[in-house]
Amino acid sequence: MNSAAQPDLLNRLENATVLLAPNLLRVEAANAIWKYQRAGVISTSEAHDQHAEVCMLVHRFVDEHALFPECLQLAIDFNHLVYDAVYAVHPESTILL
């Protein structure tokens, strides 16, 4: 992500009334947190706490299958990873970002 866009994204997240995320978020967040635990930056207990906090931010998790074929088309159109595109497509086939 372009670092210049981060403040806008953080503002959108803070002001969201409902936050949807693909189920994949749980795995991706856990993997990122695991790297910090593995490096000795946080404890095992902190890793579990941080993962729980991330998951609590989301109001509703969405099955990735509901995001196809729209997220694939979005990735193709913008020459971007499908992994990222699943975060930008609404389950009712409306692009969020």
Side-chain angles (χ1 to χ4, degrees), residues 12-64:
R12 292 171 100 184
L13 290 173
E14 287 176 8
N15 293 313
T17 54
V18 176
L19 187 59
L20 306 178
N23 288 322
L24 182 61
L25 176 71
R26 292 181 179 114
V27 175
E28 290 195 284
N31 195 62
I33 292 166
W34 166 75
K35 289 180 182 180
Y36 283 98
Q37 186 279 331
R38 183 175 172 220
V41 176
I42 61 174
S43 69
T44 299
S45 176
E46 289 171 314
H48 286 283
D49 291 345
Q50 288 183 10
H51 188 259
E53 285 181 37
V54 168
C55 292
M56 286 184 351
L57 292 172
V58 177
H59 297 102
R60 188 174 114 212
F61 285 96
V62 177
D63 185 348
E64 290 82 11

Side-chain angles (χ1 to χ4, degrees), residues 51-91:
H51 188 259
E53 285 181 37
V54 168
C55 292
M56 286 184 351
L57 292 172
V58 177
H59 297 102
R60 188 174 114 212
F61 285 96
V62 177
D63 185 348
E64 290 82 11
H65 292 102
L67 305 176
F68 284 89
E70 290 78 10
C71 65
L72 176 58
Q73 188 61 52
L74 185 68
I76 291 167
D77 291 346
F78 289 93
N79 192 29
H80 206 72
L81 299 172
V82 175
Y83 286 113
D84 295 337
V86 297
Y87 292 95
V89 174
H90 189 277

